[in-house]
Coordinates of all heavy atoms in Angstrom, one line a residue:
L835 N -186.4 68.3 -12.0 CA -185.5 68.6 -12.9 C -184.1 68.8 -12.2 O -184.0 69.3 -11.2 CB -185.8 69.8 -13.7 CG -184.9 70.3 -14.9 CD1 -185.0 69.3 -15.9 CD2 -185.3 71.6 -15.3
A836 N -183.1 68.1 -12.8 CA -181.7 68.2 -12.3 C -180.9 69.1 -13.1 O -180.9 69.0 -14.3 CB -181.0 66.9 -12.1
P837 N -180.0 70.0 -12.5 CA -179.2 70.8 -13.3 C -178.2 70.0 -14.2 O -177.7 68.9 -13.8 CB -178.4 71.6 -12.3 CG -179.2 71.5 -11.0 CD -179.9 70.2 -11.1
G838 N -177.9 70.5 -15.4 CA -176.9 69.8 -16.2 C -175.6 69.6 -15.6 O -174.8 68.6 -15.7
A839 N -175.2 70.6 -14.7 CA -173.9 70.5 -14.0 C -173.8 69.3 -13.1 O -172.9 68.6 -12.8 CB -173.6 71.7 -13.2
L840 N -175.0 68.9 -12.5 CA -175.1 67.8 -11.6 C -174.9 66.5 -12.4 O -174.1 65.6 -12.0 CB -176.4 67.7 -10.9 CG -176.6 66.6 -9.9 CD1 -175.6 66.6 -8.7 CD2 -178.0 66.6 -9.3
A841 N -175.5 66.4 -13.6 CA -175.3 65.2 -14.3 C -173.8 65.1 -14.8 O -173.2 64.0 -14.9 CB -176.2 65.2 -15.6
Y842 N -173.2 66.3 -15.1 CA -171.8 66.3 -15.5 C -170.9 65.8 -14.4 O -170.0 65.0 -14.6 CB -171.4 67.7 -16.0 CG -169.9 67.8 -16.0 CD1 -169.1 67.3 -16.9 CD2 -169.2 68.6 -15.0 CE1 -167.8 67.4 -17.0 CE2 -167.9 68.7 -15.0 CZ -167.1 68.1 -16.0 OH -165.8 68.3 -16.0
C843 N -171.2 66.2 -13.2 CA -170.4 65.8 -12.0 C -170.5 64.4 -11.7 O -169.5 63.7 -11.4 CB -170.9 66.6 -10.7 SG -170.3 68.3 -10.8
F844 N -171.7 63.8 -11.9 CA -171.8 62.3 -11.7 C -171.0 61.6 -12.8 O -170.5 60.5 -12.5 CB -173.3 62.0 -11.7 CG -174.0 62.1 -10.3 CD1 -175.1 63.0 -10.3 CD2 -173.6 61.5 -9.2 CE1 -175.8 63.1 -9.1 CE2 -174.2 61.7 -8.0 CZ -175.4 62.5 -8.0
A845 N -171.1 62.1 -14.0 CA -170.4 61.5 -15.0 C -168.9 61.4 -14.8 O -168.2 60.3 -15.1 CB -170.7 62.2 -16.4
E846 N -168.4 62.5 -14.4 CA -167.0 62.6 -14.1 C -166.6 61.6 -12.9 O -165.6 60.9 -13.0 CB -166.5 64.0 -13.7 CG -166.4 64.9 -14.9 CD -165.2 64.5 -15.8 OE1 -164.0 64.7 -15.4 OE2 -165.5 63.9 -16.9
G847 N -167.4 61.5 -11.9 CA -167.2 60.6 -10.9 C -167.2 59.2 -11.3 O -166.3 58.4 -10.9
L848 N -168.0 58.8 -12.2 CA -168.0 57.4 -12.9 C -166.8 57.2 -13.6 O -166.2 56.1 -13.5 CB -169.3 57.3 -13.7 CG -170.6 57.2 -13.0 CD1 -171.8 57.3 -14.1 CD2 -170.8 56.0 -12.1
L849 N -166.4 58.2 -14.4 CA -165.1 58.0 -15.3 C -163.9 57.9 -14.4 O -163.0 57.1 -14.7 CB -165.0 59.1 -16.2 CG -166.1 59.0 -17.4 CD1 -166.0 60.3 -18.2 CD2 -165.8 57.8 -18.3
V850 N -163.7 58.8 -13.5 CA -162.5 58.8 -12.7 C -162.3 57.5 -11.9 O -161.2 56.9 -11.9 CB -162.5 60.0 -11.7 CG1 -161.4 59.9 -10.7 CG2 -162.3 61.3 -12.4
Q851 N -163.3 57.0 -11.3 CA -163.3 55.7 -10.6 C -162.9 54.6 -11.5 O -162.3 53.7 -11.2 CB -164.6 55.4 -9.9 CG -164.9 56.3 -8.8 CD -163.9 56.2 -7.7 OE1 -163.4 55.2 -7.3 NE2 -163.5 57.4 -7.1
G852 N -163.4 54.6 -12.8 CA -163.2 53.5 -13.7 C -162.0 53.6 -14.6 O -161.5 52.5 -15.1
T853 N -161.5 54.7 -14.9 CA -160.4 54.9 -15.9 C -159.2 55.7 -15.5 O -158.2 55.4 -16.0 CB -161.0 55.5 -17.1 OG1 -161.5 56.8 -16.9 CG2 -162.2 54.7 -17.7
M854 N -159.3 56.6 -14.6 CA -158.2 57.6 -14.5 C -157.6 57.6 -13.1 O -156.8 58.5 -12.8 CB -158.7 59.0 -14.9 CG -159.1 59.1 -16.2 SD -159.6 60.8 -16.7 CE -161.2 60.8 -15.9
Q855 N -157.9 56.7 -12.2 CA -157.3 56.7 -10.8 C -155.8 56.7 -10.9 O -155.3 55.9 -11.6 CB -157.9 55.6 -10.1 CG -159.0 56.0 -9.1 CD -159.4 54.8 -8.3 OE1 -159.2 53.7 -8.5 NE2 -160.0 55.2 -7.1
H856 N -155.2 57.6 -10.3 CA -153.7 57.7 -10.1 C -153.0 58.0 -11.5 O -151.7 57.8 -11.4 CB -153.1 56.4 -9.5 CG -153.8 55.9 -8.3 ND1 -153.8 56.7 -7.1 CD2 -154.6 54.8 -8.0 CE1 -154.5 56.1 -6.2 NE2 -155.0 55.0 -6.7
T857 N -153.7 58.4 -12.5 CA -153.0 58.7 -13.8 C -153.2 60.1 -14.2 O -152.5 60.6 -15.0 CB -153.4 57.7 -14.9 OG1 -154.8 57.9 -15.1 CG2 -153.1 56.3 -14.5
G858 N -154.2 60.8 -13.7 CA -154.6 62.1 -14.2 C -153.7 63.2 -13.5 O -153.5 63.2 -12.4
F859 N -153.2 64.1 -14.4 CA -152.5 65.3 -13.9 C -153.2 66.5 -14.0 O -153.2 67.4 -13.0 CB -151.1 65.4 -14.7 CG -150.1 64.4 -14.3 CD1 -149.4 63.7 -15.2 CD2 -149.7 64.3 -12.9 CE1 -148.4 62.8 -14.9 CE2 -148.7 63.4 -12.6 CZ -148.0 62.7 -13.6
A860 N -153.9 66.8 -15.1 CA -154.5 68.1 -15.3 C -155.7 68.0 -16.3 O -155.6 67.2 -17.2 CB -153.5 69.1 -15.9
F861 N -156.7 68.8 -16.0 CA -157.9 69.0 -16.9 C -157.6 70.3 -17.6 O -157.6 71.4 -17.0 CB -159.1 69.0 -16.0 CG -160.4 69.0 -16.7 CD1 -161.1 67.8 -16.9 CD2 -160.9 70.1 -17.3 CE1 -162.3 67.8 -17.6 CE2 -162.1 70.2 -18.0 CZ -162.8 69.0 -18.2
L862 N -157.4 70.2 -18.9 CA -157.0 71.4 -19.6 C -158.1 72.2 -20.4 O -158.0 73.4 -20.5 CB -155.9 71.0 -20.7 CG -154.7 70.2 -20.1 CD1 -153.7 69.8 -21.1 CD2 -154.0 71.2 -19.1
D863 N -159.0 71.5 -21.0 CA -160.0 72.1 -21.9 C -161.2 71.2 -22.0 O -161.2 70.0 -21.8 CB -159.4 72.3 -23.2 CG -160.3 73.1 -24.2 OD1 -160.9 74.1 -23.7 OD2 -160.4 72.6 -25.4
M864 N -162.4 71.9 -22.3 CA -163.6 71.1 -22.5 C -164.6 71.9 -23.3 O -164.8 73.1 -23.1 CB -164.2 70.6 -21.2 CG -165.5 69.8 -21.3 SD -166.2 69.3 -19.8 CE -166.8 70.8 -19.1
E865 N -165.3 71.2 -24.1 CA -166.6 71.7 -24.7 C -167.7 70.8 -24.2 O -167.6 69.6 -24.1 CB -166.5 71.6 -26.2 CG -165.7 72.5 -26.9 CD -165.7 72.5 -28.4 OE1 -166.7 72.1 -29.0 OE2 -164.7 72.9 -29.1
L866 N -168.8 71.5 -23.7 CA -169.9 70.8 -23.1 C -171.2 71.3 -23.8 O -171.5 72.4 -24.0 CB -170.0 71.2 -21.6 CG -171.3 70.7 -20.8 CD1 -171.2 69.3 -20.6 CD2 -171.3 71.5 -19.5
K867 N -172.0 70.2 -24.1 CA -173.3 70.5 -24.7 C -174.4 69.8 -23.9 O -174.3 68.5 -23.8 CB -173.3 70.1 -26.2 CG -174.6 70.3 -26.9 CD -174.4 69.9 -28.4 CE -175.7 70.1 -29.1 NZ -175.6 69.6 -30.5
I868 N -175.3 70.4 -23.4 CA -176.5 69.8 -22.7 C -177.6 69.7 -23.8 O -178.1 70.6 -24.4 CB -177.0 70.7 -21.5 CG1 -175.9 70.9 -20.5 CG2 -178.2 70.1 -20.9 CD1 -176.2 71.9 -19.4
V869 N -178.0 68.3 -23.9 CA -178.8 68.0 -25.0 C -180.3 67.8 -24.6 O -181.2 68.2 -25.3 CB -178.3 66.7 -25.8 CG1 -179.2 66.4 -26.9 CG2 -176.8 66.8 -26.2
N870 N -180.4 67.1 -23.5 CA -181.8 66.9 -22.9 C -181.8 66.9 -21.4 O -180.7 66.8 -20.8 CB -182.2 65.4 -23.4 CG -182.6 65.4 -24.9 OD1 -183.5 66.0 -25.3 ND2 -181.9 64.6 -25.6
P871 N -182.9 67.1 -20.8 CA -183.0 67.2 -19.3 C -182.8 65.9 -18.6 O -183.1 64.8 -19.2 CB -184.4 67.7 -19.1 CG -185.2 67.3 -20.3 CD -184.2 67.2 -21.4
V872 N -182.4 65.9 -17.4 CA -182.3 64.8 -16.5 C -183.2 65.1 -15.3 O -183.3 66.2 -14.9 CB -180.9 64.6 -15.9 CG1 -180.8 63.5 -15.0 CG2 -179.9 64.3 -17.1
F873 N -184.0 64.1 -14.9 CA -185.0 64.3 -13.8 C -184.6 63.4 -12.6 O -183.9 62.4 -12.8 CB -186.4 63.9 -14.3 CG -186.9 64.9 -15.4 CD1 -186.7 64.5 -16.7 CD2 -187.4 66.0 -15.1 CE1 -187.2 65.3 -17.7 CE2 -187.9 66.9 -16.1 CZ -187.8 66.5 -17.4
A874 N -185.0 63.8 -11.4 CA -184.9 62.9 -10.3 C -185.4 61.5 -10.5 O -186.5 61.4 -11.1 CB -185.5 63.5 -9.1
G875 N -184.6 60.5 -10.2 CA -185.0 59.2 -10.5 C -184.5 58.5 -11.7 O -184.5 57.3 -11.9
D876 N -183.9 59.3 -12.6 CA -183.3 58.8 -13.8 C -182.0 58.1 -13.5 O -181.3 58.4 -12.5 CB -183.0 59.9 -14.7 CG -184.1 60.5 -15.6 OD1 -185.2 59.8 -15.6 OD2 -184.0 61.6 -16.1
T877 N -181.6 57.1 -14.2 CA -180.3 56.4 -14.2 C -179.5 56.8 -15.3 O -180.0 56.8 -16.5 CB -180.6 54.9 -14.2 OG1 -181.5 54.5 -13.0 CG2 -179.3 54.1 -14.0
I878 N -178.3 57.1 -15.1 CA -177.4 57.5 -16.1 C -176.1 56.6 -16.2 O -175.7 56.0 -15.2 CB -177.0 59.0 -16.1 CG1 -176.2 59.3 -14.8 CG2 -178.2 59.9 -16.2 CD1 -175.5 60.7 -14.8
H879 N -175.5 56.6 -17.4 CA -174.3 55.9 -17.6 C -173.4 56.8 -18.6 O -174.0 57.6 -19.3 CB -174.4 54.5 -18.0 CG -174.8 54.3 -19.4 ND1 -176.1 54.2 -19.8 CD2 -174.1 54.2 -20.6 CE1 -176.2 54.1 -21.1 NE2 -175.0 54.0 -21.6
V880 N -172.1 56.5 -18.7 CA -171.3 57.4 -19.5 C -170.6 56.5 -20.5 O -170.1 55.4 -20.2 CB -170.2 58.1 -18.7 CG1 -169.3 59.0 -19.7 CG2 -170.7 58.8 -17.5
E881 N -170.7 56.9 -21.8 CA -170.0 56.2 -22.9 C -168.8 57.1 -23.2 O -169.0 58.2 -23.6 CB -170.9 56.0 -24.1 CG -172.1 55.2 -23.8 CD -173.1 55.1 -24.9 OE1 -173.0 55.8 -25.9 OE2 -174.1 54.3 -24.7
C882 N -167.6 56.5 -23.2 CA -166.4 57.3 -23.3 C -165.6 56.7 -24.6 O -165.3 55.5 -24.6 CB -165.5 57.2 -22.1 SG -163.9 58.1 -22.1
E883 N -165.2 57.6 -25.5 CA -164.5 57.2 -26.7 C -163.3 58.1 -26.7 O -163.3 59.4 -26.8 CB -165.3 57.4 -27.9 CG -164.6 57.1 -29.2 CD -165.4 57.5 -30.4 OE1 -166.6 58.0 -30.2 OE2 -164.9 57.3 -31.6
V884 N -162.0 57.5 -26.9 CA -160.8 58.3 -27.1 C -160.8 58.8 -28.6 O -160.8 58.0 -29.5 CB -159.5 57.5 -26.7 CG1 -158.3 58.3 -27.1 CG2 -159.6 57.0 -25.3
T885 N -160.7 60.1 -28.7 CA -160.7 60.7 -30.0 C -159.3 61.3 -30.5 O -159.0 61.5 -31.6 CB -161.7 61.8 -30.2 OG1 -161.5 62.8 -29.3 CG2 -163.1 61.2 -30.0
E886 N -158.5 61.4 -29.4 CA -157.1 62.0 -29.7 C -156.1 61.6 -28.6 O -156.5 61.7 -27.4 CB -157.2 63.5 -29.7 CG -155.9 64.3 -30.0 CD -156.1 65.8 -30.0 OE1 -157.2 66.3 -29.9 OE2 -155.1 66.5 -30.0
A887 N -154.9 61.2 -28.9 CA -153.9 60.9 -27.9 C -152.6 61.2 -28.5 O -152.2 60.8 -29.6 CB -154.0 59.3 -27.5
R888 N -151.8 61.9 -27.7 CA -150.4 62.3 -28.2 C -149.6 62.5 -26.9 O -150.0 62.8 -25.9 CB -150.5 63.4 -29.1 CG -150.9 64.8 -28.5 CD -150.9 65.9 -29.5 NE -151.1 67.2 -28.9 CZ -152.3 67.7 -28.6 NH1 -153.4 67.0 -28.8 NH2 -152.4 68.9 -28.0
L889 N -148.3 62.3 -27.2 CA -147.3 62.6 -26.1 C -147.1 64.1 -25.9 O -147.1 64.8 -26.9 CB -145.9 61.9 -26.4 CG -145.9 60.4 -26.3 CD1 -144.6 59.9 -26.9 CD2 -146.3 59.9 -25.0
S890 N -146.9 64.6 -24.7 CA -146.6 66.0 -24.5 C -145.2 66.3 -25.0 O -144.3 65.6 -24.6 CB -146.8 66.2 -23.0 OG -146.3 67.6 -22.7
K891 N -145.0 67.3 -25.7 CA -143.7 67.8 -26.2 C -142.9 68.4 -25.1 O -141.7 68.3 -25.0 CB -143.9 68.8 -27.4 CG -144.4 68.1 -28.5 CD -144.7 69.0 -29.7 CE -145.4 68.4 -30.9 NZ -145.7 69.3 -31.9
S892 N -143.6 69.1 -24.1 CA -142.9 69.9 -23.1 C -142.7 69.1 -21.7 O -141.9 69.5 -20.9 CB -143.6 71.2 -22.8 OG -144.9 70.9 -22.4
R893 N -143.5 68.1 -21.6 CA -143.4 67.3 -20.4 C -143.2 65.8 -20.6 O -144.1 65.1 -21.0 CB -144.7 67.4 -19.6 CG -145.2 68.8 -19.3 CD -144.7 69.2 -18.0 NE -145.2 70.5 -17.6 CZ -145.0 71.0 -16.4 NH1 -144.5 70.3 -15.5 NH2 -145.4 72.2 -16.1
P894 N -141.9 65.3 -20.4 CA -141.7 63.9 -20.7 C -142.5 63.0 -19.7 O -142.8 63.4 -18.5 CB -140.2 63.7 -20.4 CG -139.7 65.1 -20.1 CD -140.8 66.1 -20.1
G895 N -142.9 61.9 -20.2 CA -143.7 61.0 -19.3 C -145.1 61.3 -19.2 O -145.8 60.7 -18.4
R896 N -145.6 62.3 -20.0 CA -147.0 62.7 -19.9 C -147.5 62.8 -21.3 O -146.9 62.9 -22.3 CB -147.1 64.1 -19.3 CG -146.6 64.0 -17.8 CD -146.7 65.4 -17.2 NE -146.1 65.3 -15.8 CZ -146.1 66.2 -15.0 NH1 -146.8 67.3 -15.2 NH2 -145.6 66.1 -13.8
G897 N -148.8 62.6 -21.4 CA -149.5 62.6 -22.7 C -150.8 63.4 -22.6 O -151.3 63.7 -21.5
L898 N -151.3 63.8 -23.7 CA -152.6 64.5 -23.8 C -153.6 63.6 -24.5 O -153.4 63.0 -25.5 CB -152.4 65.8 -24.7 CG -151.4 66.8 -24.1 CD1 -151.2 67.9 -25.1 CD2 -151.8 67.3 -22.8
V899 N -154.7 63.5 -23.8 CA -155.9 62.6 -24.3 C -157.1 63.4 -24.3 O -157.6 64.0 -23.3 CB -156.0 61.4 -23.4 CG1 -157.2 60.5 -23.8 CG2 -154.7 60.5 -23.3
R900 N -157.8 63.3 -25.5 CA -159.2 64.0 -25.6 C -160.1 62.8 -25.8 O -159.9 61.9 -26.6 CB -159.2 64.9 -26.8 CG -160.6 65.6 -26.8 CD -160.7 66.7 -27.9 NE -159.7 67.8 -27.7 CZ -159.9 68.8 -26.9 NH1 -161.0 69.0 -26.2 NH2 -159.0 69.8 -26.9
T901 N -161.3 62.9 -25.1 CA -162.3 61.9 -25.2 C -163.6 62.6 -25.6 O -163.7 63.8 -25.4 CB -162.5 61.1 -23.9 OG1 -162.8 62.0 -22.9 CG2 -161.2 60.3 -23.6
R902 N -164.5 61.8 -26.2 CA -165.9 62.2 -26.3 C -166.7 61.4 -25.4 O -166.8 60.2 -25.5 CB -166.4 62.0 -27.8 CG -167.8 62.3 -28.0 CD -168.3 62.1 -29.5 NE -167.5 62.9 -30.4 CZ -166.7 62.3 -31.4 NH1 -166.7 61.0 -31.5 NH2 -166.0 63.1 -32.2
N903 N -167.3 62.1 -24.5 CA -168.1 61.5 -23.5 C -169.6 61.8 -23.7 O -170.0 62.9 -23.9 CB -167.7 61.9 -22.1 CG -166.3 61.7 -21.8 OD1 -165.7 60.8 -22.4 ND2 -165.6 62.3 -20.9
R904 N -170.4 60.7 -23.6 CA -171.8 60.9 -23.8 C -172.5 60.4 -22.6 O -172.2 59.2 -22.2 CB -172.3 60.2 -25.1 CG -171.8 60.7 -26.4 CD -172.1 59.7 -27.5 NE -173.2 58.8 -27.4 CZ -174.2 58.7 -28.1 NH1 -174.3 59.5 -29.2 NH2 -175.1 57.8 -27.9
V905 N -173.3 61.1 -21.9 CA -174.1 60.8 -20.8 C -175.5 60.3 -21.3 O -176.2 61.2 -22.0 CB -174.2 61.9 -19.8 CG1 -175.0 61.4 -18.5 CG2 -172.8 62.3 -19.3
V906 N -175.9 59.1 -21.0 CA -177.1 58.5 -21.5 C -178.0 58.1 -20.4 O -177.6 57.5 -19.4 CB -176.7 57.3 -22.5 CG1 -178.0 56.7 -23.1 CG2 -175.7 57.7 -23.5
K907 N -179.3 58.4 -20.6 CA -180.3 58.0 -19.6 C -180.7 56.5 -19.8 O -180.4 55.9 -20.8 CB -181.5 58.9 -19.7 CG -181.3 60.2 -19.1 CD -182.5 61.1 -18.8 CE -183.7 60.9 -19.7 NZ -184.8 61.9 -19.3
Q908 N -181.5 56.0 -18.9 CA -182.0 54.6 -18.9 C -182.8 54.3 -20.2 O -182.9 53.1 -20.6 CB -182.7 54.2 -17.7 CG -184.2 54.9 -17.6 CD -184.1 56.3 -17.0 OE1 -183.0 56.8 -16.6 NE2 -185.2 57.0 -16.9
D909 N -183.4 55.3 -20.8 CA -184.2 55.1 -22.0 C -183.4 55.2 -23.3 O -184.0 55.2 -24.4 CB -185.4 56.0 -22.0 CG -185.1 57.5 -22.0 OD1 -183.9 57.8 -22.0 OD2 -186.0 58.3 -21.9
G910 N -182.1 55.4 -23.2 CA -181.2 55.5 -24.4 C -181.0 57.0 -24.9 O -180.3 57.2 -25.8
L911 N -181.7 57.9 -24.2 CA -181.7 59.4 -24.6 C -180.4 60.0 -24.1 O -180.0 59.9 -23.0 CB -182.9 60.0 -24.0 CG -183.2 61.5 -24.5 CD1 -183.5 61.4 -26.0 CD2 -184.3 62.1 -23.7
V912 N -179.6 60.6 -25.1 CA -178.4 61.3 -24.7 C -178.8 62.6 -24.0 O -179.6 63.4 -24.5 CB -177.5 61.6 -26.0 CG1 -176.3 62.4 -25.6 CG2 -177.1 60.3 -26.6
V913 N -178.1 62.9 -22.8 CA -178.5 64.1 -22.1 C -177.3 65.1 -22.1 O -177.6 66.3 -22.0 CB -179.0 63.8 -20.7 CG1 -180.2 63.1 -20.7 CG2 -177.9 63.0 -19.9
L914 N -176.1 64.7 -22.2 CA -174.9 65.5 -22.2 C -173.9 64.9 -23.2 O -173.7 63.7 -23.2 CB -174.2 65.5 -20.8 CG -174.7 66.5 -19.8 CD1 -174.4 66.0 -18.4 CD2 -174.0 67.8 -20.0
E915 N -173.2 65.8 -23.8 CA -172.0 65.4 -24.6 C -170.9 66.4 -24.2 O -171.1 67.6 -24.2 CB -172.3 65.5 -26.1 CG -173.3 64.5 -26.6 CD -173.6 64.6 -28.0 OE1 -173.3 65.7 -28.6 OE2 -174.2 63.6 -28.6
Y916 N -169.7 65.9 -24.0 CA -168.6 66.7 -23.7 C -167.3 66.1 -24.1 O -167.2 64.9 -24.2 CB -168.6 67.2 -22.2 CG -168.3 66.1 -21.2 CD1 -167.1 66.0 -20.6 CD2 -169.4 65.3 -20.8 CE1 -166.9 65.0 -19.6 CE2 -169.2 64.4 -19.8 CZ -167.9 64.3 -19.2 OH -167.8 63.3 -18.2
T917 N -166.3 67.0 -24.4 CA -165.0 66.5 -25.0 C -163.8 67.1 -24.2 O -163.2 68.1 -24.6 CB -164.9 67.0 -26.4 OG1 -165.1 68.4 -26.5 CG2 -165.9 66.3 -27.3
P918 N -163.6 66.5 -23.0 CA -162.4 67.0 -22.2 C -161.1 66.7 -22.8 O -160.9 65.6 -23.4 CB -162.6 66.3 -20.8 CG -163.3 65.0 -21.2 CD -164.2 65.3 -22.4
L919 N -160.1 67.5 -22.6 CA -158.7 67.3 -22.8 C -157.9 67.2 -21.6 O -158.0 68.1 -20.7 CB -158.1 68.4 -23.7 CG -156.6 68.3 -24.1 CD1 -156.3 67.1 -25.0 CD2 -156.1 69.6 -24.7
R920 N -157.3 66.1 -21.3 CA -156.6 65.9 -20.0 C -155.1 65.6 -20.3 O -154.8 64.9 -21.2 CB -157.2 64.7 -19.3 CG -158.7 64.9 -19.1 CD -159.3 63.6 -18.4 NE -160.7 63.4 -18.6 CZ -161.6 63.9 -17.7 NH1 -161.1 64.5 -16.7 NH2 -162.8 63.7 -18.0
M921 N -154.3 66.0 -19.3 CA -152.9 65.5 -19.3 C -152.8 64.3 -18.3 O -153.3 64.4 -17.2 CB -152.0 66.6 -18.8 CG -150.5 66.2 -18.8 SD -149.4 67.5 -18.3 CE -149.5 68.6 -19.7
I922 N -152.3 63.2 -18.9 CA -152.2 62.0 -18.1 C -150.7 61.5 -18.0 O -149.9 61.8 -18.8 CB -153.1 60.9 -18.5 CG1 -152.8 60.5 -19.9 CG2 -154.6 61.4 -18.5 CD1 -153.3 59.2 -20.4
K923 N -150.5 60.7 -17.0 CA -149.2 60.0 -16.8 C -149.1 58.9 -17.8 O -150.1 58.1 -18.0 CB -149.1 59.4 -15.4 CG -147.9 58.7 -15.0 CD -147.9 58.5 -13.6 CE -147.1 57.3 -13.2 NZ -147.3 56.9 -11.7
C924 N -148.0 58.7 -18.5 CA -147.8 57.7 -19.6 C -147.1 56.5 -18.9 O -146.3 56.6 -18.0 CB -147.0 58.3 -20.7 SG -147.9 59.5 -21.7

């Protein structure tokens, strides 16, 4: 059995490499729900959907983006769902 925090860390690593390199400023908020267990030997991927995007009122050139991220195992079973709010460079 792998801790849910480990699956979350791997998911963030996958997302940062693929979507947010050199654009992320701050991680502001998150709701996390562990749905099912992850075991040694499982393969995971992350499905990321933008649910909210707006310009920052107090910081020019920056925006706030909330996504819904689902971590899915090789058999299609969702193991984690989380909704981070990030400040990014526009």
Side-chain angles (χ1 to χ4, degrees):
L835 186 63
L840 181 62
Y842 164 74
C843 288
F844 279 122
E846 281 294 287
L848 291 169
L849 287 173
V850 168
Q851 291 297 318
T853 61
M854 295 178 291
Q855 258 182 340
H856 309 296
T857 62
F859 282 128
F861 187 98
L862 303 174
D863 181 46
M864 175 179 74
E865 289 184 22
L866 171 72
K867 183 177 177 185
I868 299 172
V869 183
N870 287 297
V872 176
F873 296 96
D876 282 343
T877 300
I878 61 171
H879 71 271
V880 185
E881 298 172 358
C882 180
E883 173 188 4
V884 175
T885 59
E886 178 184 353
R888 65 183 190 273
L889 292 174
S890 173
K891 294 177 184 174
S892 62
R893 303 267 185 171
R896 297 179 188 191
L898 301 173
V899 176
R900 184 174 301 276
T901 58
R902 177 180 300 119
N903 301 337
R904 295 170 18 124
V905 181
V906 183
K907 291 195 326 185
Q908 70 277 357
D909 59 3
L911 191 64
V912 175
V913 294
L914 270 156
E915 294 178 341
Y916 64 103
T917 56
L919 177 64
R920 305 175 199 271
M921 181 178 288
I922 62 165
K923 182 173 154 181
C924 293

